[in-house]
Amino acid sequence: MAKTAQKRTFLLEFEKPLVELQARIDQIRELGEEKQLDVSGQLQELEGKVEQLRQEIFSTLTPAQKLQIARHPRRPSTLDYVQAMCDEWLELHGDRRGSDDLALIGGIARLEGRAVVIIGHQKGRDTKDNVARNFGMASPGGYRKAMRLMEHANRFSMPIITFIDTPGAYAGVEAEKLGQGEAIARNLREMFSLEVPIISTVIGEGGSGGALGIGVAEKLMMFEHSVYTVASPEACAAILWKDAKKSEQAAQALKITAYDLKDLGIIDQILPEPPGCAHSDPLATAEILKQAILENLEYLSQLPTDKLKELRYQKFRNIGVFIE
């Protein structure tokens, strides 16, 4: 019962019919066991309806609904994927300038026996954890820590894996005083010069320069229900129409979904999510991500350094190209 209550706490509006139908199945199953009745026929029929309804719901989501899924509090985070995918993990701390930002984490891991450096945004699971991690919005120290770890990876020839999940870089006065723009700009410049493979994945919400600060890569992947945008739909609506309530309209116009971005040539690969999205089956989602990383790593590791850099350079040069 506690587990069901927890699921309902984080229930999205469009998920309610699915959960209600599943609850009905559970009731019939319990009644059948209690009264020793054969309800297998009813259960089979209802389970078929669940699958059909799930397919209908998640194949017709609007960009605004996908944004809700990307922000779901139970959606797997960087540390969840690290725990599920890696044989070993050693988190490294600090930017060597007096800061250790908990919103952007990183360390050395072993993935199927191969040493890699993993860096990613980290949101919290509850209010207290979210406050400690600043809701995944990294400060300048976070981006400087990330760059320190990437330079370490480059020095020891370890591929770099990054996980993007942030509303954007922290935009507070203190962050600006400490050089938020300079820290992100330096990351962008230096990542183009790194001589090891870089694979980035948008695992949830990819927002603005906060996402780009660890997103310069030869291969950029996205989960099918994640989003990637130059500004949040709420911010866009407030800027364009002076009304944050028009965020749904902004989400549609911004082309924030994986399929839109694949068509535009921004991302390279869309990763499918299990039925019911990543938060419904984190382990299966982690396995999908792991296999995609290993496949891309196998390909990129065979390329010479100059080819890796050229791939990275051309990828970003081609973004925004248009024909008059």
Side-chain angles (χ1 to χ4, degrees):
M1 289 294 290
K3 196 171 183 181
T4 304
Q6 188 184 51
K7 280 185 178 180
R8 288 186 177 275
T9 302
F10 299 114
L11 200 60
L12 300 175
E13 189 64 33
F14 53 84
E15 291 181 304
K16 286 182 180 178
L18 201 57
V19 172
E20 287 167 2
L21 189 54
Q22 188 61 56
R24 187 178 165 194
I25 290 172
D26 293 340
Q27 287 175 350
I28 292 172
R29 183 178 287 112
E30 287 175 11
L31 184 64
E33 291 173 357
E34 183 182 331
K35 303 289 186 180
Q36 294 185 337
L37 300 172
D38 181 13
V39 293
S40 57
Q42 285 178 277
L43 290 176
Q44 188 174 2
E45 182 182 350
L46 288 172
E47 284 167 356
K49 287 183 179 179
V50 166
E51 289 306 312
Q52 183 180 355
L53 183 60
R54 182 182 286 118
Q55 178 63 27
E56 288 173 2
I57 290 173
F58 291 105
S59 63
T60 57
L61 293 173
T62 66
Q65 288 172 326
K66 291 205 172 195
L67 181 62
Q68 286 181 284
I69 292 174
R71 292 172 174 172
H72 197 288
R74 309 309 299 178
R75 193 169 176 86
S77 66
T78 293
L79 285 176
D80 293 328
Y81 287 122
V82 167
Q83 184 178 8
M85 289 170 25
C86 300
D87 309 318
E88 297 177 55
W89 164 250
L90 176 65
E91 186 174 351
L92 301 176
H93 297 272
D95 65 348
R96 298 300 183 265
R97 299 184 188 184
S99 172
D100 183 29
D101 187 2
L102 298 180
L104 192 49
I105 64 162
I108 301 171
R110 198 171 291 279
L111 192 63
E112 290 292 312
R114 179 165 192 164
V116 297
V117 166
I118 295 179
I119 298 165
H121 299 102
Q122 181 65 36
K123 294 179 178 178
R125 276 283 176 244
D126 52 35
T127 303
K128 183 179 179 181
D129 195 20
N130 256 323
V131 169
R133 297 191 181 276
N134 201 30
F135 297 86
M137 296 184 291
S139 65
Y143 291 102
R144 289 174 181 135
K145 174 170 68 173
M147 195 66 247
R148 179 177 75 81
L149 299 185
M150 285 188 269
E151 288 170 346
H152 179 87
N154 196 55
R155 187 177 304 117
F156 293 100
S157 301
M158 290 185 285
I160 298 166
I161 313 296
T162 73
F163 297 142
I164 296 168
D165 187 17
T166 180
Y170 181 50
V173 174
E174 190 63 26
E176 295 301 321
K177 284 181 179 178
L178 294 172
Q180 184 71 285
E182 182 274 337
I184 293 174
R186 180 173 180 268
N187 280 24
L188 298 181
R189 183 190 68 191
E190 297 301 324
M191 287 182 80
F192 278 106
S193 67
L194 297 176
E195 299 181 347
V196 293
I198 307 175
I199 301 171
S200 294
T201 307
V202 183
I203 60 173
E205 183 180 10
S208 192
L212 277 176
I214 60 168
V216 176
E218 301 90 81
K219 291 291 181 180
L220 176 59
M221 305 186 293
M222 277 182 75
F223 276 109
E224 62 175 316
H225 298 309
S226 57
V227 298
Y228 197 30
T229 175
V230 68
S232 72
E234 294 88 351
C236 177
I239 293 167
L240 293 182
W241 299 295
K242 312 299 181 188
D243 185 1
K245 292 179 181 178
K246 293 188 176 181
S247 61
E248 285 194 30
Q249 186 178 341
Q252 187 72 41
L254 281 168
K255 305 297 182 186
I256 65 176
T257 71
Y259 293 97
D260 285 329
L261 294 166
K262 183 72 164 63
D263 290 341
L264 291 168
I266 307 295
I267 67 166
D268 303 296
Q269 186 176 346
I270 299 173
L271 303 182
E273 296 186 26
C277 304
H279 60 268
S280 68
D281 195 344
L283 290 178
T285 308
E287 187 58 30
I288 291 168
L289 177 57
K290 181 178 180 180
Q291 292 307 314
I293 289 173
L294 289 173
E295 287 171 13
N296 282 296
L297 210 50
E298 180 68 24
Y299 166 69
L300 294 173
S301 297
Q302 297 174 17
L303 300 179
T305 299
D306 58 344
K307 182 63 175 175
L308 288 174
K309 290 183 180 180
E310 183 64 18
L311 275 175
R312 227 173 283 155
Y313 174 77
Q314 290 300 335
K315 176 177 179 56
F316 284 85
R317 286 295 294 174
N318 292 332
I319 290 175
V321 170
F322 64 94
I323 299 172
E324 291 185 345

